[in-house]
Amino acid sequence: MSAFRSGLVALLGRPNVGKSTLANALARSRVAAVSPRPQTTRRRITAVVHGDGWQAVLLDLPGFQKPADALTARMQATVDRNLEDCDAALLVLNAAEEIGGGDRFIAERLRHAGLPVIVVLNKVDGLDRDAVARAIVRASELVDFAALHPVSALRGDGVDALREDLPQLLGEGPRYFPEGAASDQTEEELAAEMIREAALARLRQEVPHALAVDVQEIEPAREGVVVRAVLVVETESQKGIVVGRGGSMIRAIGGSAREAIGHVWGTAVHLDLVVKVRRRWREDESMLERLGL
Ligand code: GDP
Ligand code: MG
């Protein structure tokens, strides 16, 4: 069995090229608009794309929301900082339009970051072969890419082929989210998923479905954020296993969860984890409601 592959993939492109539509199509699920609450974190997860033995976390990076003439040096610095710990990028272009200043700005930052790039030529529906060929030439002149895919995110054409190319961008890495995790989740829910995943990676045998994670609070700290969470189990003996001898297990879980969350969010994370027993929590409606189950 080969190792699990994962990574952070920046989803880039000027406004309106179809990034959100593409994220939907790739994730095969509805990716609802992210809640308008203030983000505590620097980055926003647009979608989690699950494959066989791999997982790509698509990120929406701030810094591309302005028209080309407003792309300042300051914005460039923001973009560079945000690209820093991404593993790869999907650059979405509108195949029906000429390359613009916004596309060139992004291409330049990608070159600077040195990330592997897959170009997605979107909106090919309604274009004839010659027009698509011309768009491919324009894209080739814009940026060096590992692969290029003409797609219609709206109709789904070409999206499966694109998805199959994603794992080649990824290195060995953890499974950040359980299968089925999407993206229209709150930061609390996403953090809970990552903590649960980190716990189950170590406890898969002992505490299978009895473990729930309830993130109570995410608070900005002087550096990064503090995440306070309760790990809920059903019996004292499960609690003993999750805590471990002298707290060794919960520390280990906390260590890998902290790393995973920090990597995905691009923020220093302090984790405050508590383990509690709640007998038969799975039959408790209000608990299930809280956990969004
Ligand atoms: P974003 O700003 O890059 O996230 O772009 P959106 O995903 O919001 O899409 C912008 C507009 O382009 C919407 O009206 C979409 O329906 C439309 N759109 C997205 N993908 C396609 C496509 O493949 N073909 C066509 N014809 N329209 C598309
Ligand atoms: Mg969008």
Side-chain angles (χ1 to χ4, degrees), residues 44-212:
R44 184 175 277 185
I45 295 171
T46 307
V48 182
V49 186
H50 302 274
D52 206 4
W54 61 270
Q55 178 172 92
V57 181
L58 303 191
L59 299 177
D60 182 16
L61 304 185
F64 297 101
Q65 280 70 352
K66 298 258 173 76
D69 56 6
L71 298 171
T72 61
R74 193 189 148 97
M75 201 168 299
Q76 175 181 315
T78 307
V79 170
D80 288 349
R81 194 157 40 82
N82 280 307
L83 281 177
E84 228 164 60
D85 35 30
C86 288
D87 300 294
L90 288 181
L91 171 58
V92 186
L93 302 173
N94 184 339
E97 289 177 0
E98 297 295 323
I99 302 293
D103 301 316
R104 273 188 285 271
F105 173 83
I106 298 166
E108 184 55 41
R109 294 344 297 156
L110 282 174
R111 199 162 22 246
H112 181 262
L115 297 179
V117 176
I118 290 184
V119 169
V120 183
L121 274 184
N122 192 29
K123 308 200 186 185
V124 296
D125 49 288
L127 294 188
D128 61 27
R129 292 170 74 109
D130 282 354
V132 174
R134 283 196 300 276
I136 292 173
V137 171
R138 289 196 295 267
S140 320
E141 288 164 359
L142 179 70
V143 67
D144 284 333
F145 48 77
L148 176 146
H149 287 267
V151 309
S152 169
L154 196 62
R155 302 206 318 211
D157 305 335
V159 172
D160 286 339
L162 168 62
R163 192 187 297 104
E164 278 168 28
D165 255 359
L166 291 182
Q168 66 152 317
L169 296 174
L170 308 172
E172 201 173 310
R175 187 195 294 269
Y176 292 106
F177 299 102
E179 196 94 21
S183 46
D184 52 341
Q185 289 166 306
T186 63
E187 286 181 338
E188 285 80 2
E189 288 165 339
L190 289 168
E193 299 267 34
M194 284 187 271
I195 295 166
R196 186 156 191 276
E197 196 58 43
L200 289 185
R202 289 165 191 275
L203 299 167
R204 198 120 2 220
Q205 309 305 319
E206 296 88 337
V207 191
H209 295 291
L211 176 72

Side-chain angles (χ1 to χ4, degrees), residues 271-286:
L271 266 188
D272 185 354
L273 301 182
V274 176
V275 185
K276 285 189 182 163
V277 177
R278 266 191 85 148
R279 271 168 230 295
R280 302 212 293 241
W281 64 260
R282 279 177 286 177
E283 292 160 30
D284 179 343
E285 286 300 327
S286 68

